[in-house]
mmCIF file of all heavy atoms in Angstrom:
data_model
loop_
_atom_site.group_PDB
_atom_site.id
_atom_site.type_symbol
_atom_site.label_atom_id
_atom_site.label_comp_id
_atom_site.label_asym_id
_atom_site.label_seq_id
_atom_site.Cartn_x
_atom_site.Cartn_y
_atom_site.Cartn_z
ATOM 1 N N VAL C 847 0.834 -1.211 -0.009
ATOM 2 C CA VAL C 847 -0.004 -0.018 0.008
ATOM 3 C C VAL C 847 0.866 1.272 0.001
ATOM 4 O O VAL C 847 0.607 2.208 -0.732
ATOM 5 C CB VAL C 847 -0.957 -0.026 1.194
ATOM 6 C CG1 VAL C 847 -1.708 1.297 1.313
ATOM 7 C CG2 VAL C 847 -1.950 -1.167 1.067
ATOM 8 N N GLU C 848 1.907 1.249 0.794
ATOM 9 C CA GLU C 848 2.808 2.423 0.856
ATOM 10 C C GLU C 848 3.531 2.649 -0.490
ATOM 11 O O GLU C 848 3.894 3.760 -0.859
ATOM 12 C CB GLU C 848 3.856 2.240 1.951
ATOM 13 C CG GLU C 848 3.221 2.396 3.343
ATOM 14 C CD GLU C 848 4.243 2.141 4.448
ATOM 15 O OE1 GLU C 848 5.354 1.653 4.162
ATOM 16 O OE2 GLU C 848 3.907 2.428 5.640
ATOM 17 N N ALA C 849 3.714 1.576 -1.249
ATOM 18 C CA ALA C 849 4.359 1.707 -2.565
ATOM 19 C C ALA C 849 3.393 2.194 -3.642
ATOM 20 O O ALA C 849 3.807 2.538 -4.751
ATOM 21 C CB ALA C 849 4.941 0.366 -2.991
ATOM 22 N N GLY C 850 2.091 2.220 -3.286
ATOM 23 C CA GLY C 850 1.111 2.684 -4.267
ATOM 24 C C GLY C 850 0.373 1.587 -4.972
ATOM 25 O O GLY C 850 -0.243 1.795 -6.000
ATOM 26 N N CYS C 851 0.425 0.366 -4.429
ATOM 27 C CA CYS C 851 -0.276 -0.780 -5.000
ATOM 28 C C CYS C 851 -1.683 -0.929 -4.434
ATOM 29 O O CYS C 851 -1.952 -0.415 -3.365
ATOM 30 C CB CYS C 851 0.496 -2.092 -4.720
ATOM 31 S SG CYS C 851 2.239 -2.100 -5.197
ATOM 32 N N VAL C 852 -2.499 -1.649 -5.121
ATOM 33 C CA VAL C 852 -3.781 -2.100 -4.582
ATOM 34 C C VAL C 852 -3.563 -3.519 -4.035
ATOM 35 O O VAL C 852 -3.041 -4.377 -4.775
ATOM 36 C CB VAL C 852 -4.873 -2.133 -5.672
ATOM 37 C CG1 VAL C 852 -6.126 -2.832 -5.159
ATOM 38 C CG2 VAL C 852 -5.185 -0.732 -6.149
ATOM 39 N N PHE C 853 -3.921 -3.758 -2.790
ATOM 40 C CA PHE C 853 -3.767 -5.078 -2.184
ATOM 41 C C PHE C 853 -5.190 -5.657 -2.050
ATOM 42 O O PHE C 853 -5.984 -5.156 -1.256
ATOM 43 C CB PHE C 853 -3.100 -4.987 -0.836
ATOM 44 C CG PHE C 853 -2.785 -6.332 -0.221
ATOM 45 C CD1 PHE C 853 -1.967 -7.239 -0.855
ATOM 46 C CD2 PHE C 853 -3.306 -6.659 1.036
ATOM 47 C CE1 PHE C 853 -1.728 -8.472 -0.285
ATOM 48 C CE2 PHE C 853 -3.053 -7.884 1.611
ATOM 49 C CZ PHE C 853 -2.253 -8.788 0.970
ATOM 50 N N SER C 854 -5.460 -6.700 -2.830
ATOM 51 C CA SER C 854 -6.820 -7.184 -2.999
ATOM 52 C C SER C 854 -7.126 -8.431 -2.188
ATOM 53 O O SER C 854 -6.243 -9.178 -1.802
ATOM 54 C CB SER C 854 -7.032 -7.495 -4.481
ATOM 55 O OG SER C 854 -8.228 -8.246 -4.684
ATOM 56 N N THR C 855 -8.440 -8.660 -2.011
ATOM 57 C CA THR C 855 -8.918 -9.954 -1.515
ATOM 58 C C THR C 855 -8.514 -11.038 -2.500
ATOM 59 O O THR C 855 -8.341 -10.763 -3.711
ATOM 60 C CB THR C 855 -10.431 -9.929 -1.338
ATOM 61 O OG1 THR C 855 -10.886 -11.124 -0.789
ATOM 62 C CG2 THR C 855 -11.151 -9.754 -2.697
ATOM 63 N N PRO C 856 -8.330 -12.308 -2.049
ATOM 64 C CA PRO C 856 -8.051 -13.370 -2.998
ATOM 65 C C PRO C 856 -9.174 -13.549 -4.024
ATOM 66 O O PRO C 856 -10.338 -13.648 -3.681
ATOM 67 C CB PRO C 856 -7.974 -14.614 -2.071
ATOM 68 C CG PRO C 856 -7.669 -14.076 -0.733
ATOM 69 C CD PRO C 856 -8.373 -12.773 -0.643
ATOM 70 N N THR C 857 -8.804 -13.542 -5.278
ATOM 71 C CA THR C 857 -9.765 -13.736 -6.390
ATOM 72 C C THR C 857 -8.989 -13.912 -7.666
ATOM 73 O O THR C 857 -7.871 -13.450 -7.789
ATOM 74 C CB THR C 857 -10.736 -12.541 -6.553
ATOM 75 O OG1 THR C 857 -11.572 -12.774 -7.680
ATOM 76 C CG2 THR C 857 -10.002 -11.224 -6.739
ATOM 77 N N CYS C 858 -9.594 -14.605 -8.642
ATOM 78 C CA CYS C 858 -8.941 -14.755 -9.950
ATOM 79 C C CYS C 858 -8.980 -13.386 -10.669
ATOM 80 O O CYS C 858 -8.099 -13.116 -11.465
ATOM 81 C CB CYS C 858 -9.704 -15.768 -10.765
ATOM 82 S SG CYS C 858 -9.579 -17.451 -10.113
ATOM 83 N N GLY C 859 -9.997 -12.589 -10.399
ATOM 84 C CA GLY C 859 -10.016 -11.199 -10.866
ATOM 85 C C GLY C 859 -9.665 -10.973 -12.295
ATOM 86 O O GLY C 859 -10.305 -11.482 -13.214
ATOM 87 N N PRO C 860 -8.590 -10.205 -12.564
ATOM 88 C CA PRO C 860 -8.257 -9.800 -13.882
ATOM 89 C C PRO C 860 -7.629 -10.888 -14.761
ATOM 90 O O PRO C 860 -7.545 -10.753 -15.969
ATOM 91 C CB PRO C 860 -7.267 -8.672 -13.692
ATOM 92 C CG PRO C 860 -6.577 -8.994 -12.405
ATOM 93 C CD PRO C 860 -7.671 -9.632 -11.575
ATOM 94 N N CYS C 861 -7.159 -11.991 -14.148
ATOM 95 C CA CYS C 861 -6.425 -13.033 -14.889
ATOM 96 C C CYS C 861 -7.186 -13.451 -16.127
ATOM 97 O O CYS C 861 -6.598 -13.620 -17.219
ATOM 98 C CB CYS C 861 -6.102 -14.215 -14.006
ATOM 99 S SG CYS C 861 -5.350 -15.606 -14.830
ATOM 100 N N LEU C 862 -8.487 -13.675 -15.969
ATOM 101 C CA LEU C 862 -9.313 -14.137 -17.085
ATOM 102 C C LEU C 862 -10.203 -13.020 -17.653
ATOM 103 O O LEU C 862 -11.173 -13.272 -18.344
ATOM 104 C CB LEU C 862 -10.216 -15.312 -16.644
ATOM 105 C CG LEU C 862 -11.352 -14.937 -15.669
ATOM 106 C CD1 LEU C 862 -12.451 -15.973 -15.776
ATOM 107 C CD2 LEU C 862 -10.886 -14.774 -14.253
ATOM 108 N N GLY C 863 -9.817 -11.757 -17.382
ATOM 109 C CA GLY C 863 -10.642 -10.651 -17.814
ATOM 110 C C GLY C 863 -11.956 -10.587 -17.023
ATOM 111 O O GLY C 863 -12.958 -10.209 -17.539
ATOM 112 N N GLY C 864 -11.874 -11.044 -15.782
ATOM 113 C CA GLY C 864 -13.090 -11.090 -14.944
ATOM 114 C C GLY C 864 -13.504 -9.781 -14.348
ATOM 115 O O GLY C 864 -14.515 -9.207 -14.715
ATOM 116 N N HIS C 865 -12.696 -9.240 -13.440
ATOM 117 C CA HIS C 865 -12.979 -7.963 -12.794
ATOM 118 C C HIS C 865 -11.753 -7.508 -12.047
ATOM 119 O O HIS C 865 -10.730 -8.181 -12.000
ATOM 120 C CB HIS C 865 -14.209 -8.058 -11.890
ATOM 121 C CG HIS C 865 -14.016 -8.988 -10.703
ATOM 122 N ND1 HIS C 865 -14.548 -8.751 -9.450
ATOM 123 C CD2 HIS C 865 -13.421 -10.214 -10.608
ATOM 124 C CE1 HIS C 865 -14.287 -9.763 -8.632
ATOM 125 N NE2 HIS C 865 -13.587 -10.651 -9.301
ATOM 126 N N MET C 866 -11.836 -6.303 -11.463
ATOM 127 C CA MET C 866 -10.768 -5.737 -10.630
ATOM 128 C C MET C 866 -9.426 -5.631 -11.333
ATOM 129 O O MET C 866 -8.398 -5.983 -10.805
ATOM 130 C CB MET C 866 -10.670 -6.586 -9.341
ATOM 131 C CG MET C 866 -11.901 -6.556 -8.480
ATOM 132 S SD MET C 866 -11.809 -7.575 -7.022
ATOM 133 C CE MET C 866 -10.663 -6.630 -6.034
ATOM 134 N N GLY C 867 -9.469 -5.127 -12.564
ATOM 135 C CA GLY C 867 -8.208 -4.919 -13.264
ATOM 136 C C GLY C 867 -8.297 -5.138 -14.770
ATOM 137 O O GLY C 867 -7.313 -5.548 -15.398
ATOM 138 N N ILE C 868 -9.447 -4.887 -15.342
ATOM 139 C CA ILE C 868 -9.632 -5.108 -16.775
ATOM 140 C C ILE C 868 -8.903 -4.062 -17.583
ATOM 141 O O ILE C 868 -8.845 -2.873 -17.215
ATOM 142 C CB ILE C 868 -11.139 -5.030 -17.128
ATOM 143 C CG1 ILE C 868 -11.936 -6.015 -16.265
ATOM 144 C CG2 ILE C 868 -11.396 -5.313 -18.586
ATOM 145 C CD1 ILE C 868 -11.483 -7.440 -16.356
ATOM 146 N N LEU C 869 -8.345 -4.457 -18.707
ATOM 147 C CA LEU C 869 -7.555 -3.533 -19.569
ATOM 148 C C LEU C 869 -8.476 -2.884 -20.622
ATOM 149 O O LEU C 869 -9.335 -3.540 -21.202
ATOM 150 C CB LEU C 869 -6.449 -4.280 -20.264
ATOM 151 C CG LEU C 869 -5.373 -4.923 -19.382
ATOM 152 C CD1 LEU C 869 -4.359 -5.676 -20.231
ATOM 153 C CD2 LEU C 869 -4.671 -3.857 -18.527
ATOM 154 N N ALA C 870 -8.208 -1.652 -20.898
ATOM 155 C CA ALA C 870 -8.894 -0.911 -21.946
ATOM 156 C C ALA C 870 -8.150 -1.084 -23.290
ATOM 157 O O ALA C 870 -7.069 -1.621 -23.329
ATOM 158 C CB ALA C 870 -8.981 0.574 -21.582
ATOM 159 N N LYS C 871 -8.733 -0.614 -24.352
ATOM 160 C CA LYS C 871 -8.140 -0.698 -25.666
ATOM 161 C C LYS C 871 -6.751 -0.008 -25.652
ATOM 162 O O LYS C 871 -6.588 1.092 -25.140
ATOM 163 C CB LYS C 871 -9.021 0.003 -26.703
ATOM 164 C CG LYS C 871 -8.507 -0.017 -28.108
ATOM 165 C CD LYS C 871 -9.486 0.640 -29.058
ATOM 166 C CE LYS C 871 -8.941 0.648 -30.484
ATOM 167 N NZ LYS C 871 -9.903 1.263 -31.428
ATOM 168 N N GLY C 872 -5.763 -0.684 -26.170
ATOM 169 C CA GLY C 872 -4.434 -0.116 -26.300
ATOM 170 C C GLY C 872 -3.586 -0.185 -25.052
ATOM 171 O O GLY C 872 -2.413 0.143 -25.061
ATOM 172 N N GLU C 873 -4.146 -0.711 -23.931
ATOM 173 C CA GLU C 873 -3.377 -0.781 -22.699
ATOM 174 C C GLU C 873 -2.490 -2.036 -22.680
ATOM 175 O O GLU C 873 -2.778 -3.019 -23.325
ATOM 176 C CB GLU C 873 -4.284 -0.761 -21.477
ATOM 177 C CG GLU C 873 -4.888 0.631 -21.244
ATOM 178 C CD GLU C 873 -5.508 0.741 -19.872
ATOM 179 O OE1 GLU C 873 -6.243 -0.166 -19.440
ATOM 180 O OE2 GLU C 873 -5.257 1.765 -19.193
ATOM 181 N N ARG C 874 -1.457 -1.978 -21.851
ATOM 182 C CA ARG C 874 -0.446 -3.043 -21.790
ATOM 183 C C ARG C 874 -0.223 -3.394 -20.318
ATOM 184 O O ARG C 874 -0.015 -2.522 -19.491
ATOM 185 C CB ARG C 874 0.827 -2.532 -22.416
ATOM 186 C CG ARG C 874 1.954 -3.523 -22.520
ATOM 187 C CD ARG C 874 3.158 -2.909 -23.172
ATOM 188 N NE ARG C 874 2.963 -2.691 -24.587
ATOM 189 C CZ ARG C 874 3.482 -1.698 -25.290
ATOM 190 N NH1 ARG C 874 4.219 -0.786 -24.665
ATOM 191 N NH2 ARG C 874 3.286 -1.613 -26.577
ATOM 192 N N ALA C 875 -0.228 -4.692 -20.042
ATOM 193 C CA ALA C 875 -0.031 -5.184 -18.654
ATOM 194 C C ALA C 875 1.073 -6.228 -18.636
ATOM 195 O O ALA C 875 1.242 -6.987 -19.562
ATOM 196 C CB ALA C 875 -1.344 -5.794 -18.109
ATOM 197 N N LEU C 876 1.794 -6.239 -17.529
ATOM 198 C CA LEU C 876 2.718 -7.308 -17.221
ATOM 199 C C LEU C 876 2.117 -8.048 -16.027
ATOM 200 O O LEU C 876 1.754 -7.395 -15.025
ATOM 201 C CB LEU C 876 4.093 -6.745 -16.832
ATOM 202 C CG LEU C 876 5.150 -7.774 -16.430
ATOM 203 C CD1 LEU C 876 5.531 -8.662 -17.610
ATOM 204 C CD2 LEU C 876 6.402 -7.056 -15.846
ATOM 205 N N ALA C 877 1.950 -9.363 -16.143
ATOM 206 C CA ALA C 877 1.274 -10.136 -15.119
ATOM 207 C C ALA C 877 1.986 -11.429 -14.776
ATOM 208 O O ALA C 877 2.655 -12.008 -15.610
ATOM 209 C CB ALA C 877 -0.161 -10.442 -15.609
ATOM 210 N N THR C 878 1.811 -11.850 -13.540
ATOM 211 C CA THR C 878 2.387 -13.148 -13.103
ATOM 212 C C THR C 878 1.393 -14.260 -13.338
ATOM 213 O O THR C 878 1.525 -15.337 -12.746
ATOM 214 C CB THR C 878 2.805 -13.095 -11.622
ATOM 215 O OG1 THR C 878 1.633 -12.951 -10.820
ATOM 216 C CG2 THR C 878 3.750 -11.935 -11.350
#
C-alpha cells in the first residue's frame, strides 16, 4: 500500500478478464 499498489482480496479477478483490473483498448499489462 505504501508503494502505491492495490492489495486485493483473494480472487482470480483480472487473470481471465473477470474484474478488478480489466484492460482498456491499447493498454499493456505485465502479469504473473
Side-chain angles (χ1 to χ4, degrees):
V847 173
E848 288 176 349
C851 306
V852 171
F853 185 60
S854 166
T855 184
T857 176
C858 295
C861 174
L862 70 156
H865 62 143
M866 298 177 72
I868 305 304
L869 298 177
K871 180 178 179 179
E873 288 194 313
R874 184 181 286 148
L876 178 66
T878 66

